[in-house]
């Protein structure tokens, strides 16, 4: 919350003077926006200028019916769908994703992730770590929180700096880094405070801020140490975010070009809201956010797996391909790393309920943009999709590669945990050279 100190009393316009100054109640885990900006300014990272969109597929999607189909396997394994060719020779994906197939040269599929944990939790997709790692001290920080700690804000202008880390999914965690590096979650209350109350003009806010500065001068004169500062540069930057409305505008798609909305599949079916998150992610990057996390669908398909795929894969294909095309045509794709994964894969053998159960011995990871080499499938599972047969990849290898592209040296940077011990960002530090 952006709070400029003042006494609480009522005026004829119905706005209390204390309420008048509590503009911008942003949900940063109970911390004020000025505190967040101050912490990010102290990060001192050397960013490459790249951003991240991290898409979480809640429930654990089947690899066998999405990106690692086995048309030659026995019927009890291969399922009901066929692979189709993409725009990249040799790269095939499920027939239910024709739009995504048209941009096959812009993404890569890692088909041989070998060390997923059997955990219904977003922590692996957010950090590369198990939810149980350092659980007693808060757990491991997600990628957005790491970016907040090391890199800070992407843009600092007179109008302010957007938060580094924004979460549309509700699934990310800052771990032992604490609430200072939590993601901003624009729920309804927080979104309402991203703009000025309509009854409060910018001029009135400026007058009040100037008054407080004057009062602060009196306080400083009384304080020999000079530490009583009511409005510092970070508070002013926070006020800039609120008064400019850039973040609120990015989250509001009502004025977006109808043709763009149609391209994303917004307004078509029950997944419209999820599809809209992809468009919001693009708009938020343009507003200066570094890392946007979102989720799509529900993929815990113990039963009726194929019915679920028929409902969910087409809208995912529409939204994801639109995001890639949109970023490419605006020149931002090379500077945006799109990550997409779930908790684990699912059983290669179809169960008696036409479903697939949890399977952590193999799974996929989707990655696009970021100036990487794309149009390829990395790794290969055996003919039944049971385990990696060629080029096994650990989940943290992927995160290490992403951090490398962001300009974060995970080989040398450590964070001090609450017990005073240094902790590496990832433990398995091997770059995926096929991508970079």
């Amino acid at each position: 919350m952006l709070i400029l100190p003042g006494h609480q009393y009522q005026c004829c316009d119905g706005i209390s003077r204390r309420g008048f100054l509590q503009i911008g109640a942003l949900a940063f885990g109970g911390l004020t926006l000025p505190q967040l900006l101050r912490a990010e300014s102290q990060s001192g990272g050397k960013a490459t200028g790249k951003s991240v969109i991290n898409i979480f597929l809640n429930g654990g999607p089947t690899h066998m019916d999405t990106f690692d189909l086995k048309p030659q396997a026995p019927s009890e394994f291969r399922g009901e769908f066929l692979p189709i060719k993409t725009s990249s020779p040799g790269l095939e994906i499920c027939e239910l994703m024709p739009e995504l197939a048209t941009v096959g040269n812009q993404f890569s599929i890692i088909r041989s992730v070998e060390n997923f944990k059997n955990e219904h939790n977003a922590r692996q997709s957010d950090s590369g770590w198990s939810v149980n790692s350092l659980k007693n001290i808060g757990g491991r920080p997600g990628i957005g929180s790491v970016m907040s700690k090391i890199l800070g804000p992407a843009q600092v202008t007179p109008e302010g700096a957007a938060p580094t880390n924004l979460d549309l999914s509700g699934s990310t965690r800052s771990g032992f880094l604490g609430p200072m590096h939590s993601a901003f979650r624009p729920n309804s209350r927080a979104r309402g405070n991203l703009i000025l109350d309509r009854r409060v003009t910018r001029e009135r806010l400026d007058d009040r801020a100037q008054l407080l500065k004057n009062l602060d001068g009196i306080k400083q004169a009384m304080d020999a140490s000079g530490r009583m500062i009511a409005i510092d540069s970070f508070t002013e930057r926070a006020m800039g975010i609120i008064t400019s409305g850039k973040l609120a505008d990015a989250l509001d798609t009502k004025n977006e070009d109808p043709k763009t909305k149609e391209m994303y599949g917004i307004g078509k079916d029950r997944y419209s809201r999820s599809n809209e998150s992809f468009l919001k992610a693009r708009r938020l990057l343009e507003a200066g956010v570094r890392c946007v996390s979102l989720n799509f669908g529900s993929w815990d398909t113990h039963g009726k797996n194929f019915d679920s795929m028929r409902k969910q894969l087409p809208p995912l294909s529409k939204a994801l391909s639109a995001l890639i095309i949109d970023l490419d045509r605006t020149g931002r794709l090379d500077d945006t790393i799109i990550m997409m994964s779930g908790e684990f894969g699912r059983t290669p053998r179809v169960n008696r309920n036409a479903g697939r159960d949890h399977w952590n011995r193999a799974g996929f990871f989707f990655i696009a943009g970021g100036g990487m080499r794309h149009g390829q499938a990395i790794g290969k599972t055996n003919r039944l999709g049971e385990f990696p047969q060629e080029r096994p990849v650990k989940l943290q290898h992927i995160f290490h590669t992403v951090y490398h592209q962001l300009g974060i040296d995970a080989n040398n940077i450590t964070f001090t945990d609450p017990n005073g011990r240094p902790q590496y960002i990832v433990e398995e530090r091997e770059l995926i050279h096929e991508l970079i």
Side-chain angles (χ1 to χ4, degrees):
M1 184 181 297
L2 171 57
I3 302 177
L4 307 181
H7 297 292
Q8 185 169 7
Y9 56 93
Q10 199 79 13
C11 294
C12 62
D13 57 10
I15 307 174
S16 74
R17 293 305 98 186
R18 178 164 294 175
F20 175 68
L21 298 175
Q22 293 181 359
I23 301 169
L26 304 186
F28 289 102
L31 293 167
T32 66
L33 181 53
Q35 285 176 318
L36 181 82
L37 297 174
R38 187 180 296 108
E40 291 181 344
S41 76
Q42 297 167 353
S43 59
K46 301 296 183 183
T48 60
K50 297 188 189 300
S51 303
V52 168
I53 296 175
N54 195 5
I55 303 162
F56 176 54
L57 303 178
N58 179 59
T62 161
H63 58 297
M64 296 281 286
D65 303 306
T66 53
F67 297 108
D68 191 15
L69 287 84
K70 302 291 183 181
Q72 305 305 319
S75 59
E76 65 269 27
F77 288 85
R78 68 172 179 260
E80 299 180 6
F81 310 127
L82 294 173
I84 56 172
K85 294 179 179 180
T86 71
S87 60
S88 181
L91 179 61
E92 297 182 335
I93 61 176
C94 178
E95 63 182 316
L96 297 176
M97 297 187 282
E99 297 90 354
L100 192 59
T102 66
V103 292
N105 60 316
Q106 303 280 29
F107 65 81
S108 297
I109 304 295
I110 301 170
R111 290 178 173 166
S112 54
V113 183
E114 65 174 350
N115 65 329
F116 284 109
K117 305 296 183 184
N118 187 10
E119 298 172 351
H120 264 319
N121 191 283
R123 188 63 62 90
Q124 292 182 95
S125 295
D126 186 35
S127 69
W129 292 88
S130 165
V131 68
N132 294 314
S133 182
L134 301 183
K135 187 175 182 179
N136 62 325
I137 55 171
R140 300 283 181 168
I143 187 169
S145 296
V146 170
M147 293 171 70
S148 171
K149 175 73 173 176
I150 296 175
L151 302 178
Q155 298 176 9
V156 180
T157 68
E159 290 76 31
T164 300
N165 182 17
L166 190 144
D167 181 13
L168 297 172
S169 71
S171 301
T172 69
R173 297 292 181 269
S174 59
F176 66 75
L177 290 182
M180 189 68 77
H181 296 287
S182 295
F184 168 48
R185 290 178 179 154
N187 54 36
S188 56
R189 179 181 177 185
R191 284 189 62 178
N193 286 287
L194 281 172
I195 55 176
L196 284 172
D197 189 303
R198 291 179 180 177
R199 297 169 294 177
V200 180
T201 66
R202 175 62 190 262
E203 289 73 23
R204 292 185 68 189
L205 180 62
D206 287 344
D207 288 345
R208 180 60 51 156
Q210 186 59 50
L211 173 61
L212 286 168
K213 286 184 178 180
N214 293 338
L215 292 173
D216 187 56
I218 297 172
K219 291 179 181 179
Q220 285 185 311
M222 298 173 62
D223 179 19
S225 66
R227 288 177 294 181
M228 296 179 66
I229 301 175
I231 301 180
D232 62 10
S233 62
F234 302 102
T235 303
E236 290 176 352
R237 279 170 50 198
M239 288 174 61
I241 292 175
I242 306 306
T243 55
S244 73
K246 278 182 67 176
L247 203 58
D249 288 344
L251 289 163
D252 187 354
T253 65
K254 68 175 181 293
N255 293 322
E256 183 67 64
D257 186 338
K259 291 183 179 179
T260 300
K261 289 184 178 182
E262 183 180 2
M263 181 175 73
Y264 278 85
I266 297 170
K268 295 293 184 182
D269 51 37
R270 56 176 289 199
Y271 293 100
S272 284
R273 181 171 295 182
S274 295
N275 286 32
E276 188 179 23
S277 295
F278 288 73
L279 175 57
K280 287 180 181 178
R282 187 220 78 198
R283 293 166 61 91
L284 287 164
L285 294 190
E286 292 173 348
V289 177
R290 275 196 191 278
C291 181
V292 180
S293 301
L294 59 99
N295 57 11
F296 186 96
S298 179
W299 306 86
D300 197 18
T301 53
H302 293 279
K304 299 183 178 179
N305 171 77
F306 305 104
D307 291 344
S308 180
M309 294 302 106
R310 288 186 179 92
K311 293 175 183 176
Q312 297 193 88
L313 288 180
L316 176 61
S317 172
K318 189 91 170 172
L320 184 53
S321 60
L323 177 62
I324 292 171
I325 293 168
D326 215 1
L327 289 169
D328 190 36
R329 72 182 181 184
T330 57
R332 298 187 64 94
L333 185 59
D334 281 348
D335 290 326
T336 305
I337 302 169
I338 303 172
M339 310 164 63
M340 185 175 74
S341 62
E343 292 103 314
F344 34 65
R346 303 199 79 84
T347 49
R349 183 185 291 272
V350 180
N351 65 29
R352 62 184 179 182
N353 297 315
R356 298 189 189 268
D357 301 312
H358 298 183
W359 188 259
N360 63 334
R361 294 183 63 191
F364 74 84
F365 203 105
F366 176 101
I367 193 160
M372 301 183 196
R373 289 197 293 262
H374 289 305
Q376 59 180 319
I378 298 171
K380 181 180 179 180
T381 54
N382 70 324
R383 71 181 187 90
L384 299 179
E386 298 165 308
F387 52 82
Q389 187 175 54
E390 297 177 10
R391 183 59 171 99
V393 174
K394 295 185 183 301
L395 192 58
Q396 289 190 6
H397 294 165
I398 302 169
F399 278 83
H400 182 52
T401 303
V402 170
Y403 285 130
H404 172 82
Q405 290 297 98
L406 291 171
I408 296 175
D409 184 2
N411 281 312
N412 294 305
I413 294 176
T414 60
F415 299 140
T416 302
D417 70 22
N419 293 326
R421 296 175 300 186
Q423 300 289 347
Y424 281 101
I425 304 171
V426 289
E427 196 169 55
E428 303 282 353
R429 296 184 296 278
E430 179 181 312
L431 293 175
I432 303 174
H433 292 288
E434 293 94 330
L435 291 172
I436 59 176

